[in-house]
Amino acid sequence: MKLIAAVVDTDVDRDALYAEVDDDRAGAVVSFSGVVRNHDGGKAVTGIQYVGHPSAEDVMKRTIAEFADREGVHAIAAQHRVGDLDIGGVALYVAVAASHRGQAFRCAADIVDRVKEVLPIWKKQYLADGGHEWSQCP
Amino acid sequence: MLIRFFAGAAEAAGTEEMEFDAAGHTLETLQTALGADNERLAKVMAASSWLADGQRTSSGPLDGVAQLDVLPPFAGG
């Protein structure tokens, strides 16, 4: 079982991570990219700054390890970016290799949901009007 | 005790760190004290999770705690 999990402050190398989950037992590789969009809640967005708690990488590693015993899953690679990203920048990347496609789809979707739930990372959205807002923060 | 504010909590507090004399305080009374003249911070704290010396906490005494982290709702992905 190959597990890669990290929080990085340089651009996520999707090709390299995809290659890392290559496995002869896998009949399906599902990858997910969470990318910076140019709008949120009806407002125009020009970029995002992601900020992580010092524990973020440890939490990321523990979280991905929760999926190590998923039936049929042979390899997982997941990274979350911190720092400044432009529109289209990759904030979260997950790749899962599994014996069958249903296993890979479900595992990838569950990882993304779990990461969003527990990973201590925040995003500051820069708006086209010159302002900014912290997502999810009252 | 060192209080560390993160992300939107730091913005609301106007600082990333502050010293606070936690003697006799609970997490509840600390929020009342810090939020008394900062309504925005009060709202953020009410929605936040907390780490006392790295351990999750949600209420109770702060005696002996050296570092308290204020974590607003996560927004990764």
Side-chain angles (χ1 to χ4, degrees):
Chain A
M1 182 70 189
K2 186 175 205 173
L3 293 178
I4 295 172
V7 172
V8 297
D9 60 5
T10 55
D11 286 346
V12 172
D13 186 340
R14 286 185 285 190
D15 291 342
L17 292 172
Y18 192 92
E20 287 284 354
V21 301
D22 184 53
D23 190 296
D24 287 348
R25 295 166 294 177
V29 179
V30 166
S31 69
F32 167 85
S33 299
V35 299
V36 177
R37 61 173 174 253
N38 70 355
H39 63 96
D40 190 54
K43 296 175 183 171
V45 172
T46 59
I48 288 180
Q49 180 184 55
Y50 285 91
V51 177
H53 185 267
S55 68
E57 179 150 294
D58 288 342
V59 174
M60 187 72 167
K61 290 181 185 303
R62 284 203 305 271
T63 303
I64 298 307
E66 293 172 8
F67 294 85
D69 58 359
R70 279 286 181 109
E71 185 179 357
V73 172
H74 303 299
I76 301 170
Q79 285 189 350
H80 200 297
R81 174 79 146 82
V82 291
D84 291 306
L85 285 173
D86 295 327
I87 304 305
V90 179
L92 172 63
Y93 181 77
V94 176
V96 177
S99 292
H100 303 288
R101 68 183 185 281
Q103 296 164 336
F105 275 124
R106 277 191 297 277
C107 185
D110 290 347
I111 287 172
V112 174
D113 287 345
R114 186 81 176 131
V115 164
K116 290 178 78 82
E117 178 190 355
V118 303
L119 192 65
I121 281 183
W122 302 277
K123 68 175 173 183
K124 183 183 188 179
Q125 298 196 116
Y126 293 100
L127 305 175
D129 67 6
H132 68 265
E133 60 188 21
W134 289 96
S135 296
Q136 313 294 335
C137 192
Chain B
M1 179 177 71
L2 177 67
I3 303 178
R4 299 196 300 178
F5 300 97
F6 289 87
E11 187 168 296
T15 183
E16 293 188 342
E17 295 184 351
M18 69 177 286
E19 284 291 338
F20 185 87
D21 183 357
H25 271 286
T26 65
L27 194 59
E28 292 82 354
T29 64
L30 173 138
Q31 289 183 66
T32 301
L34 294 181
D37 58 355
N38 189 334
E39 188 178 344
R40 184 176 171 203
L41 179 59
K43 283 183 186 170
V44 174
M45 288 190 296
S48 291
S49 53
W50 304 77
L51 294 176
D53 292 333
Q55 300 299 312
R56 281 294 187 107
T57 185
S58 56
S59 65
L62 295 170
D63 294 308
V65 174
Q67 183 171 283
L68 183 70
D69 288 355
V70 187
L71 313 181
F74 303 154

